[in-house]
Amino acid sequence: QVQLQESGPGLVKTSETLSLTCTVSGGSITNYYWSWVRQPPGKGVEWIGYIHYSGNTNYKSSLRGRVTMSVDTSKKQFSLKLTSVTAADTAVYYCVRGWTYFDYWGQGTLVTVSS
Amino acid sequence: EIVLTQSPGTLSLSPGETATLSCRASQSVSSNYLAWYQHKPGQAPRLLIYGASSRATGIPDRFSGSGSGTDFTLTISRLEPEDFAVYYCQQYGSSPRTFGPGTKVDIK
């Protein structure tokens, strides 16, 4: 059974960089697309972007310029960096498998942005 | 981007009843590329339906999806206690992928 686990700081200061890593277990990281989605408290789910195991990326246009995703196939991990964060970036962040529908999800990690 | 609207916001039902959840898109969803997810507190969301009507692996047949174009429905027959959760629809016919705001199915 494929499992995804997010890791990273739960608190990030305003204007700094949010960094999260997702570790894939129980399955291969190769031959798949991997995405990040987030859900601010009390709000809807937002797709942030995807990375292919080859390293190709595609980000939501409204976040382009602040988002960078990377992948390390040897460690079966992929990562998210979001720069210049504000309170609007406070959310539960999920790593997921896929680029169309998302068939496996991590449990999510709450990242709070505060000064 | 395609905006998805879900109704009702909350559905209060008893075990054994049938839940009918609606997802409406602001424009036609290409190839009916619509998915449904179940989300329980503290758990990872679970894919239920993709392609509007195809059940994901391991999903019981009491979950069924239907619809096309801009109007889609998730039907949960014979509600079991473990079915009480929040349900989201998501379109993947165009980019960016977008989600509906969710319908909460709670116990009456």
Side-chain angles (χ1 to χ4, degrees), chain A residues 28-34 52-54 73 97:
Chain A
S28 175
I29 195 170
T30 56
N31 299 318
Y32 289 102
Y33 289 86
W34 304 90
H52 189 242
Y53 78 98
S54 63
T73 54
R97 190 176 82 171

Side-chain angles (χ1 to χ4, degrees), chain A residues 39 94 99-100 102 105-107, chain B residues 37 39 42 44 88 90 92 97:
Chain A
Q39 185 172 29
Y94 297 93
W99 149 232
T100 54
F102 307 115
W105 295 59
Q107 294 222 335
Chain B
Y37 303 88
H39 191 197
Y88 295 97
Q90 176 240 331
Y92 55 98
R97 308 321 191 196

